[in-house]
Amino acid sequence: MYKIVKKERLNDVVELMEVHAPMVARKCEPGQFIILRAGEDGERIPLTIADYDREAETITIIYQIVGFSTRQLAKLNEGDEITDFVGPLGVPTDLHKSNHVVGIAGGVGSAPLYPQLKKLAEMGVDVDVIIGGREAQYVLWADKFKAFCKNVYVMTDDGSLGEKGFGTVKLQELIDSGDPIDEVIAIGPVPMMKAVVGVTKPHNLKTMVSLNPIMIDGTGMCGCCRVTVDGKIKFACVDGPDFDGLSVDFDELMARQRMFKEEEHQVDANADRICNLMGGAK
């Protein structure tokens, strides 16, 4: 069992947990993920590793409360234990020495982007970050990025923090300024990553994205997480989750993400009915 040593509410829908997981903390690298279960009857939830502490033997995860399983996870508190916490899974991000890398995060994308930019900074790379959110509360970890990023640009849809507009607007400004950029790392909702590629592709600017298709076992056996990259079938759990964004078929990925929307709503509705019959909150 994996004890929760810290829990923090980051905004009205996002929480952070620090979990004691010695085996995972010993081996993990930026870009990798874990799969957890909150309870014996819980479903498998893949979450990217947001941070790790090898000495304390802990893993930090950040999750958005969007469905039944994440609501079950959110019920747990410091001192409670998570039933399963498997990892590290996936391929570590291929981080290499260059002059200038720009990271761009949307929503909870700040979590997986953080360890990647942090390690690049430790390697001597100049890193900037663009963090976007619908409003101020959804801009995650801007202060933490300031510890090693040369520039931290905050963009909000409503202008409640930083500049008003999408992160892609700021990225276009940086490209147009003529400041040489060797690589862009984009992590966030699929439409946001597709939009980033729309900005970088005309400049043939290397762009890495972290894909989050439907995933079950995390070992490449179920085939649910298949994506098309450069015309070839890849599996996000064993070939990724990081891929060359210029080669990803985003339209196919978005269509696959929508395949089980109706079933997801039915699961949530059934869970609501069961909880009401049992006289308890979810």
Side-chain angles (χ1 to χ4, degrees), residues 1 11 63 75 91 129 152 176 205 233 246 252 258:
M1 302 290 275
N11 58 44
Y63 55 93
K75 288 181 181 179
V91 180
V129 68
V152 176
D176 292 343
L205 177 55
I233 297 296
L246 305 188
E252 178 191 70
R258 294 191 293 265

Side-chain angles (χ1 to χ4, degrees), residues 72-131:
Q72 292 300 104
L73 179 62
K75 288 181 181 179
L76 301 178
N77 295 301
E78 292 179 7
D80 292 337
E81 294 179 329
I82 295 174
T83 307
D84 292 323
F85 199 88
V86 179
L89 300 169
V91 180
T93 304
D94 179 20
L95 299 173
H96 49 273
K97 189 74 169 69
S98 61
N99 294 316
H100 185 200
V101 173
V102 174
I104 178 167
V108 292
S110 293
L113 183 62
Y114 175 81
Q116 296 188 28
L117 295 191
K118 181 180 178 182
K119 187 162 185 176
L120 283 170
E122 292 170 351
M123 294 165 59
V125 178
D126 283 342
V127 292
D128 295 333
V129 68
I130 303 167
I131 307 174

Side-chain angles (χ1 to χ4, degrees), residues 31-38 42-50 59-66 69-70 73 82 84-90 108 111-112 187 210-220 222 224-225 236-238 240-241 257 264:
Q32 292 186 292
F33 66 97
I34 56 92
I35 288 182
L36 63 78
R37 283 196 312 148
E43 68 175 338
R44 299 173 177 89
I45 307 173
L47 293 170
T48 309
I49 295 169
I59 295 293
T60 300
I61 54 172
I62 290 178
Y63 55 93
Q64 186 168 334
I65 307 169
V66 293
S69 294
T70 44
L73 179 62
I82 295 174
D84 292 323
F85 199 88
V86 179
L89 300 169
V108 292
I187 306 180
S210 182
L211 303 186
N212 60 342
I214 297 167
M215 191 180 296
I216 298 177
D217 64 83
T219 64
C222 74
C224 290
C225 68
C237 65
V238 292
Q257 295 287 71
E264 289 172 6

Side-chain angles (χ1 to χ4, degrees), residues 77-234:
N77 295 301
E78 292 179 7
D80 292 337
E81 294 179 329
I82 295 174
T83 307
D84 292 323
F85 199 88
V86 179
L89 300 169
V91 180
T93 304
D94 179 20
L95 299 173
H96 49 273
K97 189 74 169 69
S98 61
N99 294 316
H100 185 200
V101 173
V102 174
I104 178 167
V108 292
S110 293
L113 183 62
Y114 175 81
Q116 296 188 28
L117 295 191
K118 181 180 178 182
K119 187 162 185 176
L120 283 170
E122 292 170 351
M123 294 165 59
V125 178
D126 283 342
V127 292
D128 295 333
V129 68
I130 303 167
I131 307 174
R134 293 201 312 273
E135 57 185 73
Q137 68 164 318
Y138 300 119
V139 174
L140 301 180
W141 279 13
D143 289 339
K144 288 175 70 69
F145 280 103
K146 288 178 182 176
F148 53 83
C149 285
K150 188 175 180 181
N151 295 289
V152 176
Y153 304 101
V154 173
M155 306 292 292
T156 49
D157 296 0
D158 64 356
S160 56
L161 186 65
E163 299 179 48
K164 184 176 181 178
F166 297 131
T168 47
V169 173
K170 177 56 67 176
L171 178 61
Q172 186 68 65
E173 288 179 6
L174 296 180
I175 293 172
D176 292 343
S177 73
D179 186 9
I181 300 172
D182 297 305
E183 183 177 342
V184 171
I185 302 174
I187 306 180
V190 175
M192 167 262 182
M193 292 188 288
K194 180 184 179 182
V196 169
V197 169
V199 171
T200 60
K201 198 165 190 175
H203 303 274
N204 197 30
L205 177 55
K206 182 177 181 180
T207 306
M208 298 302 294
V209 296
S210 182
L211 303 186
N212 60 342
I214 297 167
M215 191 180 296
I216 298 177
D217 64 83
T219 64
M221 295 181 67
C222 74
C224 290
C225 68
R226 64 185 180 274
V227 294
T228 300
V229 182
D230 197 22
K232 301 183 177 80
I233 297 296
K234 300 288 184 179

